[in-house]
Amino acid sequence: MLRTVLDAPWIIGVAQVSARLKTQLAAALRRDQRVNAVRDSDIALQRTDPEYVTRASSNNAHFLLARPK
C-alpha cells in the first residue's frame, strides 16, 4: 500500500476528490444532497484513476451494501 501511495500518479487527484467530498457532505442538509455528493465523487474518482472500478471491485471492502438499521 505504501508503494502505491508513493508511486501512483493519481494519488493527489484522489486526495483532492476526497477532500471535496468531505466538504460537500459536511455542508449537506438533506439526503439527496449527500447522495449527489457521493455519486459525483465516484464519477470524479473514475476520471482521476482509470483503474478505480477494477481495483475496487476486486476488493471485498468496496461497494458493500448498507447495513439494516
Side-chain angles (χ1 to χ4, degrees):
M1 182 184 258
L2 178 60
R3 183 63 36 211
T4 299
V5 170
L6 295 175
D7 294 341
W10 44 260
I11 199 73
I12 299 298
V14 168
Q16 291 170 336
V17 171
S18 299
R20 186 170 43 245
L21 175 60
K22 181 179 178 179
T23 301
Q24 290 173 333
L25 289 175
L29 301 175
R30 299 184 319 265
R31 183 181 184 280
D32 64 304
Q33 293 171 322
R34 290 187 297 274
V35 168
N36 286 337
V38 170
R39 289 183 181 162
D40 289 346
S41 72
D42 283 340
I43 293 168
L45 286 169
Q46 289 178 33
R47 288 181 178 152
T48 301
D49 173 12
E51 299 297 319
Y52 171 72
V53 174
T54 303
R55 196 171 34 261
S57 65
S58 67
N59 182 338
N60 291 337
H62 286 81
F63 307 117
L64 297 176
L65 297 174
R67 291 184 176 182
K69 292 183 179 180

